[in-house]
Amino acid sequence: MFSLDDKIAIVTGASRGIGRDISLGLARAGATVTLVSRTEAALQTVKSEIEQAGGNALVCPCDIADAEGVKAVAKQVTDTYGGLHILVNNAGMTRDNLIMRMSTDDWEAPIRTNLTGAFNFIKAVTRPMMKQRWGRIINITSVVGVTGNAGQANYAASKAGLIGLTKSTAKELASRGITVNAIGPGYVATDMTADLPEEVTTKLVESIPLGRLGEPEDITPAVVFLASDEASYITGQTLLVDGGMVM
Ligand SMILES: NC(=O)c1ccc[n+]([C@@H]2O[C@H](COP(=O)([O-])OP(=O)(O)OC[C@H]3O[C@@H](n4cnc5c(N)ncnc54)[C@H](OP(=O)(O)O)[C@@H]3O)[C@@H](O)[C@H]2O)c1
């Protein structure tokens, strides 16, 4: 089901957490996966895991906030493989603070990575995808981009921005066979949420109808589906994968 054989994919934030699992999942479905983050050694480990499972991967270290670096990654992928079919904009960061205490740098950092980074990659892959008249762009937003969250005005704005970016590019690129969708995870157990105090986690779990935090493995199947041929009539949507937290 949902074969991605012969598809060339890029996953940002592939070094750990949700992006690592998405990379493994796309490779299991048959895609060749370009692994992007700033930490080359961690990407090499994920590449080895993919290869041990019989898949193919390319390591491209890059800070996604650097537009020139992103362009170079897209060029390396198309030069190496002659095409580029799937982009998963997953890399993300938080810089939490209450608005009264939030510095301009705190405000800008998540916007630069989470939103401008995604814009940089979408811009870099659009031409090769248009040439193929086939493409899948999947932006990892967050439930917080829909609901807002005290202490995360910067992060929530970046994730709400991703939803607007998703809808606008979906409209621009639909006639070229390119779909653009967003996935909004709820709370997923990764480095990003590792520092939450236990009482906060307990409260969160109580607010999740399915009664547990998510795991990276809960997000990956939605990505594989939206990347597949079978999802060709779905675009501009935000799919919340959150155990029913927001409905
Ligand atoms: N965990 C959750 O509960 C949750 C909930 C909703 C949404 N999300 C979203 O899901 C995505 C993945 O989150 P996660 O929980 O897996 O986070 P994570 O474990 O903290 O991993 C973040 C990933 O992003 C990469 N990254 C960060 N800044 C980067 C930059 N400037 N350039 C390139 N790569 C960069 C990191 O790699 P390097 O450090 O190696 O560069 C790492 O691979 C994020 O967009 C996050 O906002 C997470």
Side-chain angles (χ1 to χ4, degrees):
M1 202 172 41
F2 306 138
S3 167
L4 302 178
D5 282 346
D6 303 322
K7 295 291 194 287
I8 308 301
I10 296 178
V11 179
T12 71
S15 58
R16 55 195 153 91
I18 295 171
R20 171 188 163 275
D21 197 75
I22 289 171
S23 303
L24 293 168
L26 292 176
R28 268 196 307 273
T32 295
V33 186
T34 302
L35 309 167
V36 175
S37 89
R38 296 161 299 181
T39 317
E40 180 164 8
L43 296 176
Q44 292 292 358
T45 304
V46 178
K47 176 179 156 80
S48 300
E49 287 180 88
I50 288 175
E51 289 174 347
Q52 273 161 26
N56 294 309
L58 177 72
V59 165
C60 287
C62 172
D63 183 335
I64 63 165
D66 168 20
E68 289 308 310
V70 167
K71 254 198 252 172
V73 170
K75 183 170 183 317
Q76 190 181 343
V77 173
T78 50
D79 287 353
T80 307
Y81 299 114
L84 204 179
H85 306 94
I86 299 161
L87 167 67
V88 184
N89 277 314
N90 162 80
M93 53 98 65
T94 53
R95 184 78 74 81
D96 297 354
N97 217 334
L98 295 173
I99 196 82
M100 280 181 67
R101 296 199 198 119
M102 190 174 283
S103 68
T104 302
D105 189 53
D106 289 339
W107 165 255
E108 285 177 351
I111 306 275
R112 211 180 302 124
T113 297
N114 305 353
L115 186 54
T116 308
F119 159 76
N120 288 340
F121 254 111
I122 291 172
K123 202 170 163 196
V125 305
T126 296
R127 205 178 295 274
M129 284 186 181
M130 281 166 77
K131 263 204 209 151
Q132 289 161 179
R133 303 194 74 79
W134 198 99
R136 296 282 184 270
I137 298 172
I138 298 157
N139 298 317
I140 306 299
T141 177
S142 166
V143 289
V144 160
V146 177
T147 61
N149 197 23
Q152 289 198 309
N154 49 2
Y155 179 76
S158 75
K159 293 298 186 179
L162 265 180
I163 295 173
L165 176 65
T166 299
K167 291 178 182 175
S168 303
T169 47
K171 287 182 177 175
E172 280 186 34
L173 301 175
S175 64
R176 310 303 181 103
I178 302 169
T179 67
V180 189
N181 290 288
I183 291 174
Y187 282 82
V188 180
T190 67
D191 290 354
M192 190 174 270
T193 48
D195 292 339
L196 283 179
E198 205 181 315
E199 59 273 20
V200 175
T201 307
T202 308
K203 265 237 142 54
L204 274 171
V205 171
E206 282 168 14
S207 74
I208 300 170
L210 287 175
R212 63 172 176 88
L213 292 189
E215 298 291 334
E217 294 77 8
D218 293 312
I219 311 303
T220 299
V223 177
V224 173
F225 168 59
L226 288 174
S228 70
D229 273 323
E230 285 83 351
S232 63
Y233 200 55
I234 302 173
T235 197
Q237 302 305 307
T238 299
L239 174 60
L240 301 186
V241 182
D242 65 350
M245 199 178 166
V246 177
M247 60 170 95

